[in-house]
Amino acid sequence: IRVGYPEVIYCEGKELEHLKKIVEDMLKLDKNILATRVSKEAYRAICEVTDNLIYSEVARICVINPKDIKKEGLVAVVTGGTADIKVAEEAAITLETFGNNVDRIYDVGVAGIHRLFNNLERIRKANVVVAVAGMEGALASVVAGLVDVPVIAVPTSVGYGANFNGLSALLTMLNSCAAGVSVVNIDNGFGAGYIASLINKRVAEGVE
Amino acid sequence: IRVGYPEVIYCEGKELEHLKKIVEDMLKLDKNILATRVSKEAYRAICEVTDNLIYSEVARICVINPKDIKKEGLVAVVTGGTADIKVAEEAAITLETFGNNVDRIYDVGVAGIHRLFNNLERIRKANVVVAVAGMEGALASVVAGLVDVPVIAVPTSVGYGANFNGLSALLTMLNSCAAGVSVVNIDNGFGAGYIASLINKRVAEGVE
Amino acid sequence: IRVGYPEVIYCEGKELEHLKKIVEDMLKLDKNILATRVSKEAYRAICEVTDNLIYSEVARICVINPKDIKKEGLVAVVTGGTADIKVAEEAAITLETFGNNVDRIYDVGVAGIHRLFNNLERIRKANVVVAVAGMEGALASVVAGLVDVPVIAVPTSVGYGANFNGLSALLTMLNSCAAGVSVVNIDNGFGAGYIASLINKRVAEGVE
Amino acid sequence: IRVGYPEVIYCEGKELEHLKKIVEDMLKLDKNILATRVSKEAYRAICEVTDNLIYSEVARICVINPKDIKKEGLVAVVTGGTADIKVAEEAAITLETFGNNVDRIYDVGVAGIHRLFNNLERIRKANVVVAVAGMEGALASVVAGLVDVPVIAVPTSVGYGANFNGLSALLTMLNSCAAGVSVVNIDNGFGAGYIASLINKRVAEGVE
Amino acid sequence: IRVGYPEVIYCEGKELEHLKKIVEDMLKLDKNILATRVSKEAYRAICEVTDNLIYSEVARICVINPKDIKKEGLVAVVTGGTADIKVAEEAAITLETFGNNVDRIYDVGVAGIHRLFNNLERIRKANVVVAVAGMEGALASVVAGLVDVPVIAVPTSVGYGANFNGLSALLTMLNSCAAGVSVVNIDNGFGAGYIASLINKRVAEGVE
Amino acid sequence: IRVGYPEVIYCEGKELEHLKKIVEDMLKLDKNILATRVSKEAYRAICEVTDNLIYSEVARICVINPKDIKKEGLVAVVTGGTADIKVAEEAAITLETFGNNVDRIYDVGVAGIHRLFNNLERIRKANVVVAVAGMEGALASVVAGLVDVPVIAVPTSVGYGANFNGLSALLTMLNSCAAGVSVVNIDNGFGAGYIASLINKRVAEGVE
Amino acid sequence: IRVGYPEVIYCEGKELEHLKKIVEDMLKLDKNILATRVSKEAYRAICEVTDNLIYSEVARICVINPKDIKKEGLVAVVTGGTADIKVAEEAAITLETFGNNVDRIYDVGVAGIHRLFNNLERIRKANVVVAVAGMEGALASVVAGLVDVPVIAVPTSVGYGANFNGLSALLTMLNSCAAGVSVVNIDNGFGAGYIASLINKRVAEGVE
Amino acid sequence: IRVGYPEVIYCEGKELEHLKKIVEDMLKLDKNILATRVSKEAYRAICEVTDNLIYSEVARICVINPKDIKKEGLVAVVTGGTADIKVAEEAAITLETFGNNVDRIYDVGVAGIHRLFNNLERIRKANVVVAVAGMEGALASVVAGLVDVPVIAVPTSVGYGANFNGLSALLTMLNSCAAGVSVVNIDNGFGAGYIASLINKRVAEGVE
Ligand SMILES: Nc1ncnc2c1ncn2[C@@H]1O[C@H](COP(=O)(O)O)[C@@H](O)[C@H]1O
Ligand SMILES: Nc1ncnc2c1ncn2[C@@H]1O[C@H](COP(=O)(O)O)[C@@H](O)[C@H]1O
Ligand SMILES: Nc1ncnc2c1ncn2[C@@H]1O[C@H](COP(=O)(O)O)[C@@H](O)[C@H]1O
Ligand SMILES: Nc1ncnc2c1ncn2[C@@H]1O[C@H](COP(=O)(O)O)[C@@H](O)[C@H]1O
Ligand SMILES: [Mg+2]
Ligand SMILES: [Mg+2]
Ligand SMILES: [Mg+2]
Ligand SMILES: [Mg+2]
Ligand SMILES: [Mg+2]
Ligand SMILES: [Mg+2]
Ligand SMILES: [Mg+2]
Ligand SMILES: [Mg+2]
């Protein structure tokens, strides 16, 4: 009951030996494997199993046994600041590995809102927008007020003090005064990419 | 910059005179008007302006100046219990007024999970699922583990004690261990219906 | 050690007899009296003492013994929605009673951000902006990113669910990614008006 | 006034010298000693006192001076994911050391609910179920809806973001819509094992 | 998959017409019906369907169509204060309707701990203890330190201020320093009675 | 406006150079100096200034330039467990340095309440009791129900999970159902010792 | 094991019939009876039992069967504002009924700190200070910095918004940067009076 | 749309290579550059780009490419304790770099309120006061009650236990009973300096 093609491993909290075992087993399936939350140690452990892999340090993602993927449709991934990029890349690489075209539009938060406006035409071309923002997280509402497609909002833990590790952005996004926004867990780039992929591919492929 | 056809009024906290004025103005546009969070008092105030309207007491929604709406695609609206139906109906009527076919599957929560399994074929026919649940809100995860379409989760404030007015269900849904879930505000049936409509119609119509 | 001219009474939680006594005593001073958080019952009690007063039901404010006030400078009071107006009016009337010119610019929240842009020239004329918003409270950040004057942000309790009675807007405003914002208590229109008056008048009058 | 046979030491926060002294004293009693929350340092300290002990690194438990234990009845320990196993093992080893038969059924969470159904017959054989889950913690409700025995739920701190270190799973379990669930502290495998042992042994032994 | 004999209806939030319909349907089964959270209005509605019922106003419980129930084993229900009795009675009547002998020992909280000691022999005769307490909720720990049977703790919302509607007692009980305690939701007398019944009856009947 | 004799330095967060400077200056006053929250690094820094000092590693306190102190009256310091001793010692040494006799009665928490009863005569001899406890913090209520003197309660951060770093014990103590308890900050042994000293000395010396 | 002379009844949540019964029983003892949290309905119920009583509506306290009380020592009760007086009076009348002289010094909060300074000589005459304040609750710290006697701080629920029903004042008081402060529950005037009485009487009477 | 002259870089969470690139680009503009939240590593990285810079280790600020700045008006920066100085210096250096005269008045908190009074004349000379305090944060209210200029309050995370990383001081400041206070995020010295600069310069320069 799993959509899309790659197998997925969530590495956080897995023992390295256990992890290597999982990767070895999956390699037999001859499919793309997407490993998320891959620390440098976990990356090195996986390298002992295979060297046929691509590692994004910023996204903490490994695409193992990478195969050619046919990409469809379009998803825009936007961020408020540069510190949100690590979460955005988790979403973007997830999207690409699941077969979606991605347009990355970073650092367009509301402190300098003209940069958002300058990119509006690009954003409007997408079937879904993934909006990634920390601190006050206002980006998702502003974007949803400007586009007609679903916005998947990802609060990040970027910030300090009354940010309470992402609670501030999370509440902002849940209370969006613009309709068309739904929200995933704090820093959950994978989750946002996954649901955005479900939507975009269904639009691109039409109903079977 | 509003998708779909109806005009929307959020009645909560609006003075009755102000509300009547808004309705009067909108009636000139000759479109469907969807009024949400309509108390009985607000309903009576709107009736003074026009009697061409349908009121759902349970959903607290008025469809004013109702026009024939062409319905497309399919959205499943599921609830955990019967007390969640008022929020589910807010979603369902929103969806219908925006031109979506809706399949209502109520009271299929995890306390009696066989009822959910009995309805799985119906749920799997939809382009999007809106999952509405209070108390522990486990329904959204369970459904997402069983279907391949996006699940829009709506936590409700149904429950008491450590439920903290819906916080429990909200956190459950944000932490879903099954991928493919995104979440709207507590009791926000309208918001769930709106984003589900954006998704379903884009799928049904294909990309322009 | 009190700036400005009017005496101030905070009526919440004061017994009606006690309140009437305070008003009677203050009337001897022959000054403007600003009473805040005036319920209808409190209003009626004050009317028994004097009929020389103006009551704003929406702001729940009485200006008692109203005198001609010389108005200086300019403060812009902006709101996200119409439900925020009651808090905004508490700020605006406080400002006027303390001798400030006020420009009211209501319902310009981020769900329809073009209305904010259409009013930017008016807002930029002010020495201070009071930004009043509930739900996700993004207005304050967006405004602060667009103007060069201090923004006093007032979170309101407008909203429901994960809004937690204004906590959502409060956290948003404290975490503003645009600099130049400081924040008062939830629904504290009086407090925002008071500090905005301190700033505006000092600018208008210059340093003594 | 302590049930069962082993002596118990909770090592967290105890100075190593103090800990060694306690172990030495207890050894005189010639009984099983169950030490919980044993860090590697604490383990090494205990080894200086005796080498007659078994250490489970994953459960962070030492059984010191292990004696033959007669095991009675049956308790099922189930987990949602693999990261919950460390807490589950704390429960399982506690149960065994107190004289209970244990059936371990791990990684049967609601994201892949068929694995739970495949194991239902095994689970139903137990006198008590200990259900261990992090993230959204839905496992306890689902199990309780499917079995007729008491379910002791253990929320774990597995997860991130809006999980708030286990708060999410804790609230889910307290709000279970299926009756028959009671809850212990986050990550408290020992506590769950202890009360499950009280129940299972009383059932197995009958009332004296 | 329901243990015990009575049917259960949770009345909170059910429309009166809906409730009457449910009762009518259940009456056909010729079984005990236990209705919980029965307001006076709900009670009157049920009376329109049948007059063969017993209402406990303090427990807000109706036993409809009451049949002779064979009672087994023993459960002690203890409370800290007199204000906790309404929750305790919800547990006690649930227990009796499910076929358990109940010993009620009320108002034995830690402020006057000698009353608890005076009743220790009675408490120790039970197979399970249901400990109901509000305010600081210390009763559950103290009892668990004194008995060898499982303690099901029910925090109540009795108290004010930093009690935060039962949160204080809930946290106390979850953090019990005495082992053998597990916890249900705030004010959830029914849930405590239900799980205590599962335990007591299994002990009394032995394993089949 | 400082009671008692010693000078007090709170070392947390002070730069080492700054700290040495403060100690040097105070040494000129020829008085006892009580330094709290003294890390090993801070201790070493102070040693560079003077070697006339006593360091309690467990209490993280230095008494610098120790002078003979006349001790009066009696304060009992009790703890629930052994992990609370570090906070209790902060209180006890503070009390002694301020000139109070102290009776330490440790590890008498409610999990084994007979140990508390065995020490009741000693506790009742004191003019004030300082009750130090973590986890569920029930000790303070139980003690206050048994003695007729003021109880100063100190919640500790000992525990895990739903303890929330001492919040659980703090709330328990604030909600004590036994009168005669007041509470200081989590882990604030110094603060408890200070106010207990104010009370005990005033009693011992009588009113001047 | 109760100090002082009067019997005490906490009326909140007690059924009226139950309350009358308790009062009747206590009247036989021929002692002062202090009933707290007495609503008007409860007052009327008590009047049916006896007319020998004094009711303070503001403090919601009844002194039933009032006897001559010898008053000793001195306790100062201070408040920040006038809205805190109802809690202060609960403390003051409790103190008087337990045999303490009380000096009431109200409305001396930090917004107009000169009023506090004008009353410093009176405050310093007391053996204990009860400091009652809502909103930001700074009064307790400021007073403790100015006097050498123990300060019992009572946070009140006076305020709104980010006051969170007294949480703000509670946290302020627990974090007092001036030593010599301990804290009771929000709005707990009785508790503050009780412990202040324990202290004051012990000082006044000397150690037996 | 940025006021004042320097460019600003927030270094937290920026990769060192990225940071060096930003500094290099900005150096071309021949302006002051203010870098905040500069760790020692970040400082060393910047030194590789230019050695024309001043580093304040305590404020974690670099002024890069420092130019002569004309200073206007006056802002007072006050702190409660010495541990608050690091946040205060972030505000003070921000103010100076933006062209404001600054008067630093440190360690004048309410535990020793006479030091505040001794400095009142200096504080009253300022156009704005920045009040920095941790623990209970009462300083802002007390200062606002004593001066007629706007007070920008900065809660700090200094403290422990029920301080909850600055939440206590934050709530205190938001609930100030003295009018004229507005609040920035916990530890946000830069934000306070920025808005204080906006106010002071506008006053000093008059309206253009
Ligand atoms: N970053 C992530 N956050 C949350 N869930 C994830 C993440 N990455 C992967 N997952 C989920 O974890 C599942 C794999 O978990 P596991 O079987 O424990 O490796 C995938 O199917 C995803 O649903
Ligand atoms: N709406 C309000 N919210 C908070 N404080 C207020 C409000 N209105 C007035 N105040 C403050 O209350 C003071 C008067 O309080 P009082 O002496 O109790 O009437 C004024 O000086 C203001 O500082
Ligand atoms: N007081 C209560 N609190 C929580 N759950 C309850 C309560 N009373 C009954 N229930 C549960 O609610 C179920 C019936 O719900 P319903 O079908 O909505 O009437 C029962 O099987 C119980 O599990
Ligand atoms: N452990 C502690 N917790 C809280 N406050 C303390 C502690 N130790 C000392 N203090 C207070 O800190 C003051 C000294 O602070 P300082 O002037 O910063 O050294 C003393 O007078 C005490 O009131
Ligand atoms: Mg939109
Ligand atoms: Mg799915
Ligand atoms: Mg700006
Ligand atoms: Mg069951
Ligand atoms: Mg026990
Ligand atoms: Mg006592
Ligand atoms: Mg003092
Ligand atoms: Mg002022």
Side-chain angles (χ1 to χ4, degrees), chain B residues 1 26 32 51 74 80 83 86 129 135-136 144 151 160 165 177 184 199 203 205:
Chain B
I1 314 197
M26 285 191 176
N32 277 300
D51 57 4
L74 184 66
K86 54 185 179 297
V129 179
M135 306 187 83
E136 95 278 64
V151 175
Y160 59 87
N165 305 315
C177 59
V184 298
I199 297 169
V203 173
E205 295 171 5

PDB file of all heavy atoms in Angstrom, chain B residues 1 26 32 51 74 80 83 86 129 135-136 144 151 160 165 177 184 199 203 205:
ATOM      1  N   ILE B   1      -8.542  37.048  -6.366  1.00  0.00           N
ATOM      2  CA  ILE B   1      -7.632  35.887  -6.357  1.00  0.00           C
ATOM      3  C   ILE B   1      -8.286  34.750  -5.581  1.00  0.00           C
ATOM      4  O   ILE B   1      -7.691  34.164  -4.697  1.00  0.00           O
ATOM      5  CB  ILE B   1      -6.273  36.267  -5.715  1.00  0.00           C
ATOM      6  CG1 ILE B   1      -5.772  37.597  -6.276  1.00  0.00           C
ATOM      7  CG2 ILE B   1      -5.279  35.146  -5.903  1.00  0.00           C
ATOM      8  CD1 ILE B   1      -4.331  37.882  -6.050  1.00  0.00           C
ATOM      9  N   MET B  26     -23.406  41.246  -1.662  1.00  0.00           N
ATOM     10  CA  MET B  26     -23.012  40.067  -2.433  1.00  0.00           C
ATOM     11  C   MET B  26     -24.145  39.564  -3.324  1.00  0.00           C
ATOM     12  O   MET B  26     -23.892  39.019  -4.398  1.00  0.00           O
ATOM     13  CB  MET B  26     -22.576  38.945  -1.492  1.00  0.00           C
ATOM     14  CG  MET B  26     -21.202  39.199  -0.899  1.00  0.00           C
ATOM     15  SD  MET B  26     -20.617  37.715  -0.067  1.00  0.00           S
ATOM     16  CE  MET B  26     -18.970  38.256   0.413  1.00  0.00           C
ATOM     17  N   ASN B  32     -23.499  31.969  -5.931  1.00  0.00           N
ATOM     18  CA  ASN B  32     -23.662  31.275  -4.660  1.00  0.00           C
ATOM     19  C   ASN B  32     -22.912  32.026  -3.568  1.00  0.00           C
ATOM     20  O   ASN B  32     -21.812  32.530  -3.809  1.00  0.00           O
ATOM     21  CB  ASN B  32     -23.052  29.868  -4.729  1.00  0.00           C
ATOM     22  CG  ASN B  32     -23.985  28.854  -5.334  1.00  0.00           C
ATOM     23  OD1 ASN B  32     -25.077  28.621  -4.818  1.00  0.00           O
ATOM     24  ND2 ASN B  32     -23.553  28.256  -6.443  1.00  0.00           N
ATOM     25  N   ASP B  51     -34.898  35.255   1.454  1.00  0.00           N
ATOM     26  CA  ASP B  51     -35.381  33.945   1.906  1.00  0.00           C
ATOM     27  C   ASP B  51     -34.966  32.851   0.929  1.00  0.00           C
ATOM     28  O   ASP B  51     -35.407  31.717   1.027  1.00  0.00           O
ATOM     29  CB  ASP B  51     -36.894  33.943   2.114  1.00  0.00           C
ATOM     30  CG  ASP B  51     -37.648  34.338   0.852  1.00  0.00           C
ATOM     31  OD1 ASP B  51     -36.989  34.543  -0.199  1.00  0.00           O
ATOM     32  OD2 ASP B  51     -38.877  34.439   0.922  1.00  0.00           O
ATOM     33  N   LEU B  74     -14.262  13.307  -6.747  1.00  0.00           N
ATOM     34  CA  LEU B  74     -14.826  12.720  -5.534  1.00  0.00           C
ATOM     35  C   LEU B  74     -13.914  12.955  -4.324  1.00  0.00           C
ATOM     36  O   LEU B  74     -12.712  12.706  -4.389  1.00  0.00           O
ATOM     37  CB  LEU B  74     -15.030  11.201  -5.706  1.00  0.00           C
ATOM     38  CG  LEU B  74     -15.708  10.509  -4.515  1.00  0.00           C
ATOM     39  CD1 LEU B  74     -17.140  10.996  -4.345  1.00  0.00           C
ATOM     40  CD2 LEU B  74     -15.687   8.989  -4.704  1.00  0.00           C
ATOM     41  N   GLY B  80     -14.426   9.926  12.974  1.00  0.00           N
ATOM     42  CA  GLY B  80     -14.212   8.911  13.996  1.00  0.00           C
ATOM     43  C   GLY B  80     -15.486   8.577  14.751  1.00  0.00           C
ATOM     44  O   GLY B  80     -15.830   7.413  14.936  1.00  0.00           O
ATOM     45  N   ALA B  83     -20.030  12.617  17.217  1.00  0.00           N
ATOM     46  CA  ALA B  83     -19.896  13.999  17.674  1.00  0.00           C
ATOM     47  C   ALA B  83     -19.031  14.832  16.741  1.00  0.00           C
ATOM     48  O   ALA B  83     -19.028  16.057  16.797  1.00  0.00           O
ATOM     49  CB  ALA B  83     -19.331  14.032  19.099  1.00  0.00           C
ATOM     50  N   LYS B  86     -20.589  17.396  13.103  1.00  0.00           N
ATOM     51  CA  LYS B  86     -20.835  18.814  12.812  1.00  0.00           C
ATOM     52  C   LYS B  86     -19.664  19.452  12.082  1.00  0.00           C
ATOM     53  O   LYS B  86     -19.850  20.276  11.190  1.00  0.00           O
ATOM     54  CB  LYS B  86     -21.230  19.585  14.071  1.00  0.00           C
ATOM     55  CG  LYS B  86     -20.300  19.485  15.219  1.00  0.00           C
ATOM     56  CD  LYS B  86     -20.918  20.215  16.441  1.00  0.00           C
ATOM     57  CE  LYS B  86     -20.010  20.112  17.633  1.00  0.00           C
ATOM     58  NZ  LYS B  86     -19.813  18.709  18.095  1.00  0.00           N
ATOM     59  N   VAL B 129      -9.020  12.441   0.825  1.00  0.00           N
ATOM     60  CA  VAL B 129      -9.831  12.092   1.979  1.00  0.00           C
ATOM     61  C   VAL B 129      -9.737  13.217   3.003  1.00  0.00           C
ATOM     62  O   VAL B 129      -8.638  13.695   3.292  1.00  0.00           O
ATOM     63  CB  VAL B 129      -9.351  10.771   2.636  1.00  0.00           C
ATOM     64  CG1 VAL B 129     -10.202  10.432   3.855  1.00  0.00           C
ATOM     65  CG2 VAL B 129      -9.354   9.640   1.637  1.00  0.00           C
ATOM     66  N   MET B 135     -10.986  13.463  20.321  1.00  0.00           N
ATOM     67  CA  MET B 135     -10.354  12.614  21.322  1.00  0.00           C
ATOM     68  C   MET B 135      -8.895  12.364  20.938  1.00  0.00           C
ATOM     69  O   MET B 135      -8.126  13.292  20.876  1.00  0.00           O
ATOM     70  CB  MET B 135     -11.137  11.329  21.515  1.00  0.00           C
ATOM     71  CG  MET B 135     -12.615  11.633  21.849  1.00  0.00           C
ATOM     72  SD  MET B 135     -13.604  10.219  22.299  1.00  0.00           S
ATOM     73  CE  MET B 135     -13.203  10.073  24.028  1.00  0.00           C
ATOM     74  N   GLU B 136      -8.514  11.093  20.631  1.00  0.00           N
ATOM     75  CA  GLU B 136      -7.105  10.891  20.317  1.00  0.00           C
ATOM     76  C   GLU B 136      -6.781  11.054  18.846  1.00  0.00           C
ATOM     77  O   GLU B 136      -5.612  11.067  18.483  1.00  0.00           O
ATOM     78  CB  GLU B 136      -6.608   9.554  20.849  1.00  0.00           C
ATOM     79  CG  GLU B 136      -6.644   8.421  19.869  1.00  0.00           C
ATOM     80  CD  GLU B 136      -8.041   7.817  19.802  1.00  0.00           C
ATOM     81  OE1 GLU B 136      -8.963   8.526  19.386  1.00  0.00           O
ATOM     82  OE2 GLU B 136      -8.176   6.647  20.170  1.00  0.00           O
ATOM     83  N   ALA B 144      -4.467   7.033   6.424  1.00  0.00           N
ATOM     84  CA  ALA B 144      -3.337   7.311   5.532  1.00  0.00           C
ATOM     85  C   ALA B 144      -2.503   6.065   5.289  1.00  0.00           C
ATOM     86  O   ALA B 144      -1.895   5.910   4.221  1.00  0.00           O
ATOM     87  CB  ALA B 144      -2.466   8.435   6.111  1.00  0.00           C
ATOM     88  N   VAL B 151      -4.437  12.836   2.526  1.00  0.00           N
ATOM     89  CA  VAL B 151      -5.414  12.889   3.618  1.00  0.00           C
ATOM     90  C   VAL B 151      -5.314  14.257   4.287  1.00  0.00           C
ATOM     91  O   VAL B 151      -4.248  14.627   4.781  1.00  0.00           O
ATOM     92  CB  VAL B 151      -5.134  11.785   4.655  1.00  0.00           C
ATOM     93  CG1 VAL B 151      -6.061  11.913   5.861  1.00  0.00           C
ATOM     94  CG2 VAL B 151      -5.266  10.406   4.020  1.00  0.00           C
ATOM     95  N   TYR B 160     -12.634  15.658  26.437  1.00  0.00           N
ATOM     96  CA  TYR B 160     -12.579  16.421  27.696  1.00  0.00           C
ATOM     97  C   TYR B 160     -11.253  16.130  28.380  1.00  0.00           C
ATOM     98  O   TYR B 160     -10.483  15.283  27.939  1.00  0.00           O
ATOM     99  CB  TYR B 160     -13.762  16.044  28.606  1.00  0.00           C
ATOM    100  CG  TYR B 160     -13.827  14.590  28.983  1.00  0.00           C
ATOM    101  CD1 TYR B 160     -13.139  14.104  30.094  1.00  0.00           C
ATOM    102  CD2 TYR B 160     -14.537  13.688  28.219  1.00  0.00           C
ATOM    103  CE1 TYR B 160     -13.175  12.766  30.436  1.00  0.00           C
ATOM    104  CE2 TYR B 160     -14.574  12.338  28.543  1.00  0.00           C
ATOM    105  CZ  TYR B 160     -13.898  11.893  29.644  1.00  0.00           C
ATOM    106  OH  TYR B 160     -13.920  10.565  29.965  1.00  0.00           O
ATOM    107  N   ASN B 165      -9.239  20.709  24.641  1.00  0.00           N
ATOM    108  CA  ASN B 165      -9.977  21.375  23.559  1.00  0.00           C
ATOM    109  C   ASN B 165      -9.468  21.077  22.160  1.00  0.00           C
ATOM    110  O   ASN B 165      -9.504  21.948  21.291  1.00  0.00           O
ATOM    111  CB  ASN B 165     -10.004  22.889  23.784  1.00  0.00           C
ATOM    112  CG  ASN B 165     -10.566  23.247  25.127  1.00  0.00           C
ATOM    113  OD1 ASN B 165     -11.586  22.710  25.537  1.00  0.00           O
ATOM    114  ND2 ASN B 165      -9.887  24.124  25.839  1.00  0.00           N
ATOM    115  N   CYS B 177       2.498   8.750  11.928  1.00  0.00           N
ATOM    116  CA  CYS B 177       3.603   7.904  11.484  1.00  0.00           C
ATOM    117  C   CYS B 177       3.374   7.407  10.058  1.00  0.00           C
ATOM    118  O   CYS B 177       4.295   6.903   9.424  1.00  0.00           O
ATOM    119  CB  CYS B 177       3.807   6.739  12.443  1.00  0.00           C
ATOM    120  SG  CYS B 177       2.362   5.714  12.597  1.00  0.00           S
ATOM    121  N   VAL B 184      -5.248  20.796   9.268  1.00  0.00           N
ATOM    122  CA  VAL B 184      -5.765  22.165   9.394  1.00  0.00           C
ATOM    123  C   VAL B 184      -6.101  22.430  10.859  1.00  0.00           C
ATOM    124  O   VAL B 184      -5.929  21.564  11.709  1.00  0.00           O
ATOM    125  CB  VAL B 184      -7.001  22.393   8.491  1.00  0.00           C
ATOM    126  CG1 VAL B 184      -6.646  22.216   7.009  1.00  0.00           C
ATOM    127  CG2 VAL B 184      -8.152  21.473   8.887  1.00  0.00           C
ATOM    128  N   ILE B 199      -7.572  20.515  -4.463  1.00  0.00           N
ATOM    129  CA  ILE B 199      -6.885  19.318  -4.946  1.00  0.00           C
ATOM    130  C   ILE B 199      -7.779  18.512  -5.892  1.00  0.00           C
ATOM    131  O   ILE B 199      -7.408  18.178  -7.017  1.00  0.00           O
ATOM    132  CB  ILE B 199      -6.446  18.439  -3.756  1.00  0.00           C
ATOM    133  CG1 ILE B 199      -5.437  19.196  -2.875  1.00  0.00           C
ATOM    134  CG2 ILE B 199      -5.840  17.120  -4.252  1.00  0.00           C
ATOM    135  CD1 ILE B 199      -5.137  18.520  -1.542  1.00  0.00           C
ATOM    136  N   VAL B 203      -7.353  17.782  -9.987  1.00  0.00           N
ATOM    137  CA  VAL B 203      -7.220  16.421 -10.508  1.00  0.00           C
ATOM    138  C   VAL B 203      -8.308  16.152 -11.556  1.00  0.00           C
ATOM    139  O   VAL B 203      -8.027  15.658 -12.656  1.00  0.00           O
ATOM    140  CB  VAL B 203      -7.323  15.373  -9.387  1.00  0.00           C
ATOM    141  CG1 VAL B 203      -7.355  13.958  -9.958  1.00  0.00           C
ATOM    142  CG2 VAL B 203      -6.165  15.524  -8.399  1.00  0.00           C
ATOM    143  N   GLU B 205     -10.137  18.200 -13.332  1.00  0.00           N
ATOM    144  CA  GLU B 205     -10.121  19.044 -14.533  1.00  0.00           C
ATOM    145  C   GLU B 205      -8.830  18.863 -15.324  1.00  0.00           C
ATOM    146  O   GLU B 205      -8.768  19.242 -16.492  1.00  0.00           O
ATOM    147  CB  GLU B 205     -10.275  20.516 -14.125  1.00  0.00           C
ATOM    148  CG  GLU B 205     -11.652  20.787 -13.484  1.00  0.00           C
ATOM    149  CD  GLU B 205     -11.748  22.178 -12.877  1.00  0.00           C
ATOM    150  OE1 GLU B 205     -10.798  22.976 -13.017  1.00  0.00           O
ATOM    151  OE2 GLU B 205     -12.785  22.461 -12.226  1.00  0.00           O
TER     152      GLU B 205
END
